[in-house]
C-alpha cells in the first residue's frame, strides 16, 4: 500500500470522529505564522493552537517569499489577523546547501535550466535569516504598521522556541 493510501485510511477514521465542522473562516486567535516545512515541526502542537486558530504558511526554510507575502496580505486584510510570527529551526535543511550548487546539480541531472524557482533561499546563518525574514515583512509597502512581526528559532532537540531580536 502506498503512503497516500495509508493516510487516506487514517482520514476515514478522522472524518468519523470529526466535530469541528462549524468553525468560522477568520482565525480565532488572529495569528498568522510563517514556518519551515520541516516534518519535525507540527506548528499547532508547538504553539498549542487548535483548528480555526491561526493561519500557517509553510515552505522550505520558513522564508518570506513573494508567495508568503501574498498570503500574509490576504491573512491580515481579508481575514483579520493582527500578529505575524516567523519560525525557523535548528538543523534546518536550508543550512546544508548553496543555491548555485543545487541549481547546477538540477541542470546536470535534468539536462535543462529553468526560470522558476529563481532562488532556493538556502542560508548559512539561522539568526541572520530570521532577522532578514522579519525585515522582508516589515519593509513591504502593504505591511500593516500596527501588526507586530516577531521571529523565532525552534529547537528540534528541546521543542522550545527562542525569540530572535529584530
Ligand atoms: Zn527547515
Amino acid at each position: 500500500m502506498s503512503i497516500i493510501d495509508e493516510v487516506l485510511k487514517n482520514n476515514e477514521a478522522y472524518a468519523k470522529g470529526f466535530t469541528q465542522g462549524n468553525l468560522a473562516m477568520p482565525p480565532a486567535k488572529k495569528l498568522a505564522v510563517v514556518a519551515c516545512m520541516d516534518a519535525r515541526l507540527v506548528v499547532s502542537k508547538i504553539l498549542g493552537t487548535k483548528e480555526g486558530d491561526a493561519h500557517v504558511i509553510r515552505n522550505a526554510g520558513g522564508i518570506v517569499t513573494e508567495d508568503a507575502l501574498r498570503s500574509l496580505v490576504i491573512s491580515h486584510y481579508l481575514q483579520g489577523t493582527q500578529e505575524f510570527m516567523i519560525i525557523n529551526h535548528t538543523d534546518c535543511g536550508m543550512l546544508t546547501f548553496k543555491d548555485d550548487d543545487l541549481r547546477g546539480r538540477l541542470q546536470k541531472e535534468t539536462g535543462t535550466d529553468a526560470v522558476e524557482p529563481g532562488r532556493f533561499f538556502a542560508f548559512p546563518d539561522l539568526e541572520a535569516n530570521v532577522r532578514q525574514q522579519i525585515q522582508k515583512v516589515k519593509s513591504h509597502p502593504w505591511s500593516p504598521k500596527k501588526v507586530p512581526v516577531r521571529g523565532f528559532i525552534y529547537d528540534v532537540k528541546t521543542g522550545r522556541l527562542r525569540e530572535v531580536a529584530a
Side-chain angles (χ1 to χ4, degrees):
M1 188 164 50
S2 83
I3 298 299
I4 292 176
D5 291 330
E6 189 182 316
V7 297
L8 284 174
K9 275 198 175 314
N10 294 344
N11 177 253
E12 273 304 314
Y14 177 73
K16 282 201 177 105
F18 192 69
T19 58
Q20 302 295 308
N22 292 309
L23 296 170
M25 188 194 293
K29 303 234 182 265
K30 301 185 189 299
L31 173 69
V33 181
V34 178
C36 183
M37 69 181 186
D38 191 289
R40 294 166 293 183
L41 279 66
V42 178
V43 174
S44 59
K45 286 190 182 178
I46 293 170
L47 302 179
T49 51
K50 301 191 300 288
E51 294 95 329
D53 277 350
H55 281 151
V56 181
I57 302 148
R58 300 191 68 166
N59 58 34
I63 305 295
V64 177
T65 58
E66 184 194 0
D67 193 65
L69 283 164
R70 177 185 69 87
S71 297
L72 287 173
V73 164
I74 289 169
S75 178
H76 174 74
Y77 289 98
L78 298 183
Q79 301 272 306
T81 55
Q82 298 298 331
E83 296 186 50
F84 293 165
M85 189 174 191
I86 293 158
I87 303 178
N88 286 189
H89 64 97
T90 59
D91 198 39
C92 186
M94 301 296 280
L95 294 159
T96 65
F97 71 98
K98 290 192 173 64
D99 273 35
D100 287 347
D101 293 342
L102 179 56
R103 181 165 298 278
R105 176 185 152 186
L106 289 166
Q107 284 171 0
K108 206 169 148 199
E109 283 190 23
T110 65
T112 183
D113 197 4
V115 176
E116 288 184 323
R119 287 184 63 186
F120 295 105
F121 296 100
F123 52 83
D125 181 328
L126 203 45
E127 293 208 7
N129 189 67
V130 172
R131 281 194 293 273
Q132 198 183 350
Q133 306 322 305
I134 296 169
Q135 270 318 110
K136 275 199 259 182
V137 177
K138 284 188 169 172
S139 63
H140 193 276
W142 291 340
S143 181
K145 298 301 166 229
K146 299 175 303 196
V147 169
V149 184
R150 294 167 65 181
F152 298 83
I153 293 172
Y154 173 76
D155 188 327
V156 297
K157 292 272 190 260
T158 65
R160 189 162 276 119
L161 287 170
R162 175 170 66 81
E163 186 154 15
V164 175

